[in-house]
Amino acid sequence: MTSGFPRGLNVRAAPFVIMVLLVTFLTVTSGPAYSTEKDGQGAVNGETTHTAVTAGILAPHTPINIASDVDFADQGWPGNGTEAAPYVIEGLNITSTEVCINISSVTVRFEIRDCFISSPDTSLNDGIYIDGGDYCSISGCIVQSHLSGFHLNDSLKCKLTGNNARGNSESGFYLYYSGFPTLTNNTATGNSGSGFYLDFCTALCTLAGNNATGNSGNGFYLNHCGSSMLTNNTATGNAIDGFVLYIHGGNVLSDNTANGNAVNGFYLEKWLYGDSTLTDNTATGNSEYGVLLGPNSSGDVIFLNVIGPNGVANARDRGSANKWDDDVSLGNYWSDYNGTGVYPIPGTAGSVDRFPSSIEPSINHPTDMEYEEGSTGHSINWTPSCLHPDRYEVYRNDSLIASSDWDGSDITVSVDGFTAGTYSYTIMVLDVNGYFATDAVIVTVQASTTTGFDPMILLVVAGVGAVIVVIILAIGLRKRKV
């Protein structure tokens, strides 16, 4: 057995081959030293969807402590701290029970991107802690197994985008005295506190496209946060409420979903700063109430929401002067509305939704029809109504003849071309939540009353005619002989 260079390889060429292999290796490994995974959230308001890193090929790093502006340059972080070229901390894997990225008392601009933060044991410290870091940006990071995943204190106008906080012993995202924040497409899963906890953030908080699932506290908890916008966020399977606004006012909640939370879907308590508005939200499958207004809530406006079914009741109003419709013609969609009159809201406030609608789809009933066999131009036109249409099915005498996605528009089915008989056409329209409505139309095809031409008649007529001609000719011949 021999060793050395492969057979056929010139020994003199070995240095060249080694150099080529070395260059190839450096080329392959000179790319970004981290891998990414999709964060599962869709882009909101035209923003590019960020990705959250995995622990993959990130560069290992010890905990980072920055206590002044000069520390960024002294530690060698790229950038110069301006808006055009912020300092950047990027692509790191930091595993420690300490605060893994700790930045305080700075005035320069900085960004933290695509970092994986974890702890080998239960940590009593936050994963990423920012104190006095105005205009900071954190994107594409994962923080797990710490106290709070992301903790911002006294930091104004910060942006958190596409991050993931999971399995932390308190809140996933905790912002304290940090006004005007923007949180977009972040995920908080399985944290022991709330998914998102904004405390005394004063005003103009923007939360869009975030997801809070399976947290042991609330999905979203906003305390003393007025004039805020919550859009397209989802709270599912949290151990308390989906969304809580406490000492609130002037907030707008639209297109949010609270589903399967252990207490309430939306809980609003104590008016401040102005009226809040809930519109186009969905609250289903929560164990107590879909929407609960506490005893100090006043002046809130709730309409065009899909509410129900929920456990105890779909809603409860213990406040005063709250409105459950738009004061003109639009109320909410209720799973238990019987289709008649107003919808009374349980609770001491005595509120009513004056313009309620049913969640379930509805459909008209075209009149049964008859037509004569052989005629054409006959069809059934249904005009269903549905808040969130999904699909429809059409049956003829219990056999499925059409099935398609449905966008809420009219549905027309041709019934031409059948022989005499009776046919039952049944339609079922379904919404995205599985609610459905059906209708049946009877089509009777009558036998034709128009007598068709029988070829045998022509043969008989021709035969008779031929006999007559023969007889006439015979008589003529006889007369000639006479």
Side-chain angles (χ1 to χ4, degrees):
M1 182 177 189
T2 60
S3 62
F5 293 102
R7 183 179 300 175
L9 176 63
N10 192 324
V11 174
R12 294 180 179 179
F16 174 78
V17 173
I18 293 172
M19 182 177 294
V20 170
L21 292 174
L22 180 60
V23 170
T24 302
F25 174 78
L26 292 175
T27 301
V28 171
T29 59
S30 62
Y34 56 89
S35 61
T36 62
E37 64 180 7
K38 292 294 182 182
D39 62 5
Q41 299 297 316
V44 174
N45 296 331
E47 293 191 10
T48 300
T49 301
H50 283 256
T51 56
V53 302
T54 66
I57 322 172
L58 297 170
H61 204 283
T62 57
I64 298 167
N65 289 285
I66 294 174
S68 66
D69 292 344
V70 297
D71 285 348
F72 283 102
D74 289 347
Q75 295 180 22
W77 301 109
N80 60 23
T82 63
E83 183 176 0
Y87 288 112
V88 176
I89 298 172
E90 182 176 25
L92 304 178
N93 181 357
I94 306 175
T95 301
S96 175
T97 58
E98 301 177 24
V99 178
C100 291
I101 299 179
N102 188 348
I103 300 175
S104 62
S105 305
V106 297
T107 61
V108 295
R109 300 288 183 94
F110 66 91
E111 296 183 3
I112 302 171
R113 306 175 189 159
D114 302 325
C115 292
F116 183 84
I117 307 297
S118 188
S119 173
D121 302 300
T122 301
S123 174
L124 300 179
N125 296 292
D126 300 318
I128 296 177
Y129 178 71
I130 310 297
D131 185 9
D134 296 351
Y135 299 97
C136 72
S137 173
I138 306 174
S139 61
C141 295
I142 293 176
V143 181
Q144 63 184 29
S145 304
H146 279 77
L147 191 63
S148 287
F150 300 79
H151 183 172
L152 274 61
N153 181 68
D154 196 20
S155 300
L156 299 177
K157 297 185 178 180
C158 291
K159 294 183 177 181
L160 285 78
T161 308
N163 302 289
N164 190 319
R166 60 197 190 197
N168 298 287
S169 56
E170 290 192 357
S171 297
F173 296 82
Y174 178 50
L175 280 66
Y176 182 72
Y177 271 106
S178 297
F180 311 98
T182 300
L183 285 77
T184 308
N185 297 335
N186 301 285
T187 299
T189 305
N191 300 286
S192 296
S194 294
F196 297 82
Y197 186 3
L198 280 66
D199 196 15
F200 285 91
C201 288
T202 312
L204 299 177
C205 305
T206 301
L207 286 79
N210 302 288
N211 187 301
T213 301
N215 299 287
S216 298
N218 302 287
F220 297 82
Y221 188 98
L222 278 68
N223 178 43
H224 280 88
C225 299
S227 301
S228 297
M229 296 284 296
L230 281 76
T231 306
N232 198 32
N233 302 288
T234 301
T236 303
N238 299 288
I240 307 181
D241 299 322
F243 295 83
V244 178
L245 275 67
Y246 188 78
I247 309 184
H248 69 93
N251 300 300
V252 176
L253 283 75
S254 62
D255 295 300
N256 302 287
T257 298
N259 175 259
N261 299 287
V263 186
N264 305 300
F266 296 85
Y267 175 38
L268 279 64
E269 172 64 294
K270 202 166 185 179
W271 171 90
L272 193 65
Y273 312 123
D275 304 337
S276 289
T277 301
L278 277 72
T279 183
D280 291 308
N281 302 287
T282 299
T284 61
N286 302 287
S287 296
E288 293 194 6
Y289 300 99
V291 179
L292 173 63
L293 304 185
N296 296 301
S297 288
S298 177
D300 294 323
V301 181
I302 301 126
F303 66 98
L304 284 182
N305 301 286
V306 177
I307 307 176
N310 295 282
V312 175
N314 282 331
R316 185 175 180 84
D317 188 350
R318 301 172 60 200
S320 61
N322 298 301
K323 296 179 180 179
W324 291 81
D325 53 61
D326 71 344
D327 242 355
V328 180
S329 61
L330 301 174
N332 298 282
Y333 295 86
W334 305 93
S335 65
D336 54 353
Y337 177 56
N338 63 13
T340 304
V342 301
Y343 184 92
I345 310 298
T348 56
S351 300
V352 296
D353 180 347
R354 293 169 294 172
F355 312 106
S357 297
S358 174
I359 288 178
E360 298 182 9
S362 61
I363 191 168
N364 67 318
H365 174 61
T367 57
D368 296 341
M369 67 171 62
E370 294 183 4
Y371 71 85
E372 187 175 294
E373 182 180 1
S375 62
T376 59
H378 308 289
S379 62
I380 305 171
N381 183 68
W382 282 286
T383 307
S385 176
C386 184
L387 182 62
H388 298 296
D390 183 29
R391 69 184 194 279
Y392 72 86
E393 299 174 354
V394 179
Y395 296 81
R396 182 175 62 240
N397 295 342
D398 298 326
S399 296
L400 180 66
I401 62 169
S403 178
S404 179
D405 293 337
W406 175 46
D407 61 5
S409 58
D410 290 1
I411 300 168
T412 301
V413 176
S414 173
V415 294
D416 282 344
F418 294 103
T419 58
T422 300
Y423 303 88
S424 175
Y425 280 81
T426 302
I427 187 171
M428 178 169 62
V429 293
L430 300 95
D431 70 4
V432 295
N433 295 310
Y435 292 107
F436 64 90
T438 62
D439 181 64
V441 174
I442 301 300
V443 177
T444 302
V445 180
Q446 302 285 0
S448 175
T449 57
T450 302
T451 302
F453 180 75
D454 190 344
M456 291 301 296
I457 296 176
L458 178 60
L459 293 176
V460 171
V461 171
V464 172
V467 170
I468 293 173
V469 169
V470 170
I471 293 172
I472 293 173
L473 291 175
I475 294 172
L477 289 174
R478 183 175 295 177
K479 286 182 179 181
R480 285 183 183 181
K481 291 180 178 180
V482 174

